[in-house]
Amino acid sequence: MNPGADRRPRVVLGVGAGIAAYKSCEVLRGLTESGHRVRVVPTPAALNFVGAATFEALSGQPVRTEVFDDVPDVAHVRIGQTADLVLVTPATADLLARAAAGRADDLLTATLLTARCPVLMVPAMHTEMWEHPATQANVATLRERGTVVAEPASGRLTGPDTGKGRLPDPAEIVELARLLLVRATALPRDLASRRVVVSAGGTREPVDPVRFLGNRSSGRQGYALARVAAHRGADVTLVAAHTADLADPAGARVVRVESAEELRKAVHAEAASADVVVMAAAVADFRPAEQAMSKIKKTGGEPTPLRLAANPDILAELVAARRDGQVLVGFAAETGDASGDVLHHGRAKLVHKGCDLLVVNAVGDGRAFGTEDNAGWLLAANGSETELPRGPKALLASAVWDAVTPLLGS
Ligand code: CTP
């Protein structure tokens, strides 16, 4: 193929010399499979962890590490100049230090100096190295210059120890990379020192010990909201109902719940000190009026009808108990019907719920639930209406935070 005809976004995947380098292969795979052209630029020492042949086979492109490789091509300048995104994963303490100092002592750091596209660095290191004032100062310098330095996750590190400094899940890194490519600008740290609560997933209302009433929500949109908020600097609590197949967002505290009542208690407890609450969870409006203590058996006759009781509307309760300056965001999944289209129902719901912002999604026909992408409208209490074009759920999440930040007091 004529290289000029290749319209795939170009990603430079920088790989630092940390044990998490092996996870960069999964990131590389995720990027190529979602239609990106990836050139891997490891540091020379990173090849101690993963061999060049692995990166070459997975990317279909040559792997070089030094500025003196490919001299006639002036690779140390060209790779950065032609990139749409430079993603460094894992970014070790040493690599962050060299990037912050503006060094160009290998092909990757030279590329960082010539890149004019968004740069995303995903740190992974031991907790002590992450918390060291030198590393924190380097991260602050890089962020000040517009580099997006992702929040590390907490959890198991190289050895038996656990703490902050773990590489976020590869799927989360790919999601963030896609977001930066679509936004084409850095993520602002405009939620720093803000406390944010996001509910996600779908509640299950027990019928008996083995059955429940549930819904199709996967939790992906709520997780994207939590992830993007954490990377914009917020202190995030995610109240998650039945999202077992999703990796915890890096930097967020996760509270797991089952039923609408458990979600209600958890959200109210967290909302008491929150600046923003986003109700992205699909909360059951009804629960079985009685929960059988043993499994309901077939009796051979007519089945006993299930009696339902209404669950409290948590968002309405939050609106009634709103703290001064608190911003409340709701979601509405609508299909449209004979009485009006999706937007008509969304407008009515915004007024009826009394929240500041309402994200309206059209659902049905395979849209929204369980998919990677989403689209809709963002309706504000001040009357503004913004169409949210189809794109990664992280992009919709980012648009929601763009609308939330101007509503936050100082
Ligand atoms: N919600 C809530 N508590 C409930 C039900 C929903 O807080 N018991 C929240 C959801 O998290 C979401 C919004 O309210 O932010 C959805 O509004 P809702 O009117 O419940 O949507 P539907 O259930 O789709 O309502 P309807 O069936 O009337 O269209």
Side-chain angles (χ1 to χ4, degrees), residues 189-237:
R189 302 276 305 168
D190 51 2
L191 291 169
S193 79
R194 301 294 188 177
R195 240 182 75 63
V196 161
V197 178
V198 178
S199 71
T203 61
R204 289 183 181 177
E205 310 303 304
V207 174
D208 68 13
V210 292
R211 303 179 179 95
F212 58 82
L213 299 180
N215 61 67
R216 289 176 183 277
S217 175
S218 67
R220 286 176 202 276
Q221 185 59 67
Y223 271 56
L225 281 151
R227 287 196 176 109
V228 172
H231 292 299
R232 287 172 81 149
D235 169 357
V236 181
T237 302

Side-chain angles (χ1 to χ4, degrees), residues 14-340:
V15 182
I19 181 66
Y22 78 93
K23 293 187 182 168
S24 63
C25 299
E26 217 176 306
V27 173
L28 170 54
R29 202 54 189 250
L31 288 169
T32 52
E33 280 177 3
S34 53
H36 302 84
R37 185 174 160 179
V38 187
R39 171 84 193 242
V40 185
V41 184
T43 64
L47 297 182
N48 290 318
F49 293 96
V50 181
T54 303
F55 291 131
E56 290 187 335
L58 290 174
S59 68
Q61 302 227 40
V63 166
R64 304 280 182 267
T65 60
E66 303 284 3
V67 286
F68 294 107
D69 295 333
D70 274 343
V71 171
D73 271 357
V74 206
H76 71 286
V77 176
R78 193 182 43 79
I79 294 175
Q81 281 176 337
T82 55
D84 296 306
L85 174 76
V86 179
L87 159 62
V88 182
T89 178
T92 58
D94 178 66
L95 196 44
L96 291 169
R98 290 192 293 128
R103 300 284 299 267
D105 40 6
D106 56 23
L107 187 57
L108 178 54
T109 45
T111 298
L112 286 168
L113 284 182
T114 53
R116 293 294 173 268
C117 58
V119 176
L120 168 60
M121 300 189 81
V122 189
M125 63 197 74
H126 269 81
T127 310
E128 291 82 352
M129 294 175 98
W130 172 250
E131 288 175 348
H132 194 284
T135 305
Q136 288 303 307
N138 291 329
V139 169
T141 301
L142 290 164
R143 283 179 173 159
E144 229 164 74
R145 292 185 195 141
T147 296
V148 179
V149 182
E151 283 301 316
S154 294
R156 178 97 191 265
L157 301 171
T158 321
D161 42 350
T162 59
K164 194 164 181 179
R166 193 179 147 88
L167 194 82
D169 188 74
E172 175 166 357
I173 297 172
V174 173
E175 188 181 35
L176 258 182
R178 289 185 68 202
L179 171 63
L180 289 179
L181 277 164
V182 186
R183 269 180 77 100
T185 57
L187 279 187
R189 302 276 305 168
D190 51 2
L191 291 169
S193 79
R194 301 294 188 177
R195 240 182 75 63
V196 161
V197 178
V198 178
S199 71
T203 61
R204 289 183 181 177
E205 310 303 304
V207 174
D208 68 13
V210 292
R211 303 179 179 95
F212 58 82
L213 299 180
N215 61 67
R216 289 176 183 277
S217 175
S218 67
R220 286 176 202 276
Q221 185 59 67
Y223 271 56
L225 281 151
R227 287 196 176 109
V228 172
H231 292 299
R232 287 172 81 149
D235 169 357
V236 181
T237 302
L238 177 63
V239 180
H242 301 285
T243 54
D245 54 343
L246 300 181
D248 286 358
R253 197 166 68 84
V254 183
V255 178
R256 299 198 183 279
V257 297
E258 298 274 326
S259 63
E261 186 51 31
E262 282 180 29
L263 187 133
R264 176 180 179 230
K265 283 198 183 110
V267 166
H268 282 308
E270 298 295 332
S273 58
D275 297 299
V276 189
V277 184
V278 182
M279 286 295 294
V283 185
D285 288 326
F286 305 101
R287 65 180 185 281
E290 297 96 23
Q291 184 188 340
M293 288 304 135
S294 51
K295 189 179 169 197
I296 300 171
K297 305 292 280 180
K298 293 188 287 291
T299 52
E302 275 293 298
T304 317
L306 204 55
R307 277 199 324 115
L308 297 178
N311 280 330
D313 186 326
I314 305 166
L315 184 55
E317 290 178 344
L318 289 169
V319 169
R322 182 201 298 258
R323 295 168 59 211
D324 242 11
Q326 190 176 53
V327 178
L328 299 173
V329 184
F331 268 71
E334 302 288 347
T335 58
D337 56 24
S339 67

